[in-house]
């Protein structure tokens, strides 16, 4: 590694091939939606709690675009708490005293699961853009192989927000008999044109960085940090709400009394976004960002069912709990409600809660008591039916 | 806790209609409760009849409370969202004390009959003599323990009397399979009493309907 690259970047690079979490290697090929196949792959994951004797208490947590498997433990690169440590843990809504929780880094990610930064066994070099495009269904297919390896036939629940919610829906459609309960949060049955638009801005920012080098930056000892930071800044705005931004930052100036009449970060919001962008590039791989945003763009659950979402859910036997946030404009309540309507039309068992909050899409990661009450109440009810409750 | 809630509920004279409704529901059946509030009826039905119950409720607070207790409830509007359910999806589609708060009561009842093999509808009887006399004597919109709202902040927009409801069932070709009329402290009026007596003295009515 180049001496100029900071230590955490080296730490992140180490996680790509040799993650500090559990890791399962698969020697059999994995067929992908795009028509290609991976001859072999690996999935990095974390587990919490204890699997019961009849293996009926496993909950799979699916992470969002920039999340990873470190859902409830200290992150090996950033040293921060897990991204859902408020939700997952002893006595938490997803109670690790009662449930066995699995969280896997998605295929295409950069924390130990096979992704564009992983070494291509054919060349020994990072895959870069030689990795075939991955879809949400491919991610779920890979997770199913992991769950097989863990000897779990039927998951008690699959839970996730945003891109994680897409995986939850895909699980319920692809493997209805293997999902007892499903909790898709702040998500949609397909990525909208607006969402694809925002993702494209991010990808273009990455690819416009001269250090991206056609995707081969790792081989050349470079990193398109500026482009990725801009992508993150733009995306971050979409995760918040206008009112949350207004309350937090308004037009307040950052460490100064007056405007500079230049292009420094005069406003607090500018400095906040710059910080978000900078810390993100320390832990995330730029090509992974391209692959995962693409996976979200391609997601369309109804596509194989002549556009009829209710038909996609026709065989779904899981109990669903759909959750949305009132100020989420990236995955608005109407999108989540369309899932509920289609589940109704297919006769599925569904609950639906809209949480009142001004924190936007990001609310699913934050301290939202109503969210926690809903998840724990729904899981408790499902556990009673599953025979897991006391 | 649930035990206690049930006890309070049974003791609440205003919701005796829930007990009456539960009496009509066969054990183990599939039930949709439209306007389910905090899920009191669904809970009663789950515990006493082992039903597979679902609910729709307009108020987010009611929904969140019901879901947090493990009931399958969605936030939604009876006027809009019943359309999404397929024909014959439930054994019973229930509308308890919600008819008067819907925008299109007729469409809602027709949807209930489409979605459920039987529809159970309970509503406050606006033909009750107390209501009639309040209006006649004082010339003001009636306020009773069953209908505690002032005219300007009520969720109720389509009141009807027992006789009005009978007319509606005729217009939509619904068969009345059973009916109960409650008066006083939740007492049942005799089945043989004529509709006129029900209409004058009944405070609430519960109807079991089917199509054809």
């Amino acid at each position: 590694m180049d001496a100029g690259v900071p230590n955490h970047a080296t730490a992140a690079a180490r996680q790509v091939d040799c993650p500090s979490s559990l890791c399962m290697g698969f020697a059999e090929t994995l067929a992908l939606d795009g028509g290609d196949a991976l001859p072999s792959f690996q999935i990095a994951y974390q587990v919490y709690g204890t699997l019961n004797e009849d293996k009926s208490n496993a909950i799979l947590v699916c992470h969002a675009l920039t999340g990873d498997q470190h859902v409830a433990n200290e992150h090996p690169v950033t040293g921060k708490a897990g991204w859902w440590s408020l939700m997952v843990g002893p006595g938490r809504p997803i109670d690790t005293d009662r449930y066995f929780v699995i969280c896997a880094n998605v295929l295409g990610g950069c924390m130990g699961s096979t992704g564009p930064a992983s070494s291509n066994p054919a060349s020994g070099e990072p895959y870069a853009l030689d990795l075939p495009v991955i879809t949400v269904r491919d991610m779920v297919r890979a997770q199913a192989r992991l769950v097989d390896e863990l000897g779990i036939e039927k998951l008690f629940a699959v839970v996730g927000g945003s891109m994680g919610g897409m995986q939850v829906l895909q699980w319920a459609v692809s493997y209805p008999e293997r999902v007892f309960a499903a909790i898709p949060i702040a998500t949609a049955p397909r990525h909208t044109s607006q969402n694809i638009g925002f993702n494209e801005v991010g990808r273009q920012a990455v690819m416009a960085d001269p250090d991206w080098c056609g995707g081969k930056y790792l081989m050349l000892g470079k990193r398109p940090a500026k482009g990725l930071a801009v992508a993150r800044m733009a995306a971050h705005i979409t995760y918040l709400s206008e009112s949350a931004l207004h309350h937090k930052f308004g037009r307040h100036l950052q460490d100064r009394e007056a405007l500079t009449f230049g292009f420094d970060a005069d406003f607090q919001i500018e400095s906040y976004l710059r910080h978000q962008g900078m810390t993100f590039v320390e832990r995330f791989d730029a090509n992974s960002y391209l692959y995962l945003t693409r996976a979200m763009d391609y997601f369309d659950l109804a596509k194989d069912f002549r556009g009829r979402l209710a038909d996609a859910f026709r065989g779904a036997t899981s109990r669903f709990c759909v959750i949305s946030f009132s100020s989420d404009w990236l995955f608005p309540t109407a999108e989540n409600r369309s899932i509920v309507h289609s589940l109704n039309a297919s006769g599925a068992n569904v609950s639906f809660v809209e949480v009142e909050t001004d924190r936007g899409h990001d609310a699913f990661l934050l301290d939202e008591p109503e969210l926690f009450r809903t998840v724990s109440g729904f899981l408790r009810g499902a556990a009673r039916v599953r025979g897991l409750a006391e | 806790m649930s035990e206690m809630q049930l006890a309070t509920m049974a003791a609440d004279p205003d919701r005796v209609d829930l007990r009456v409704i539960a009496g009509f529901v066969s054990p183990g059946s599939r039930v949709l409760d439209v306007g389910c509030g905090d899920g009191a009826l669904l809970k009663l039905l789950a515990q006493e009849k082992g039903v597979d119950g679902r609910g729709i409720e307009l108020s987010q607070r009611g929904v969140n409370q019901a879901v947090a207790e493990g009931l399958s409830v969605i936030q939604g509007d009876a006027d809009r969202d019943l359309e999404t359910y397929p024909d014959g999806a439930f054994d019973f589609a229930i509308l308890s004390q919600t008819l008067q708060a819907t925008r299109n009561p007729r469409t809602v009842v027709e949807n209930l009959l489409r979605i459920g093999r039987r529809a159970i509808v309970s509503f406050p009887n606006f033909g009750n003599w107390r209501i009639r006399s309040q209006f006649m004597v004082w010339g003001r919109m009636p306020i009773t323990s069953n209908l505690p709202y002032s005219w300007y902040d009520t969720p109720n927009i389509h009141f009807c009397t027992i006789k009005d409801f009978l007319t509606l069932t005729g217009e939509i070709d619904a068969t009345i399979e059973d009916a109960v009329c409650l008066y006083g402290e939740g007492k049942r009026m005799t089945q043989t009493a004529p509709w006129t007596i029900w209409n004058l003295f009944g405070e609430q009515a519960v109807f079991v309907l089917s199509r054809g």
Side-chain angles (χ1 to χ4, degrees), chain B residues 81-90 93 108-117 119 211:
Chain B
D81 296 336
L82 292 181
E83 299 294 337
T84 62
Y85 292 88
D87 297 357
F90 294 91
V108 169
V109 175
E110 285 186 310
N111 264 321
L112 294 181
L113 286 163
R114 180 183 63 78
I115 296 166
R117 287 198 295 110
R211 259 273 151 83

Side-chain angles (χ1 to χ4, degrees), chain A residues 319 321 337 340-341 344-355 370 373-374 376-378 380-381 384, chain B residues 30 52-55 60 63-65 67-77 80-81 84-86 89:
Chain A
R319 305 163 68 86
C321 183
R337 201 187 288 278
V340 175
H341 285 166
N344 279 339
S346 66
N349 187 328
V350 55
S351 296
F352 168 53
V353 161
E354 179 190 40
V355 175
E370 199 71 63
R373 259 200 300 280
T374 301
S376 59
F378 173 76
R380 214 168 31 242
R384 268 199 300 272
Chain B
R30 287 167 56 85
D52 175 10
R54 320 278 167 79
Q60 196 62 64
V63 176
N64 295 12
Q65 195 173 329
V67 175
E69 291 196 31
L71 298 166
S72 299
V73 173
I74 66 167
Q75 195 276 329
D77 184 341
R80 274 200 334 256
D81 296 336
T84 62
Y85 292 88

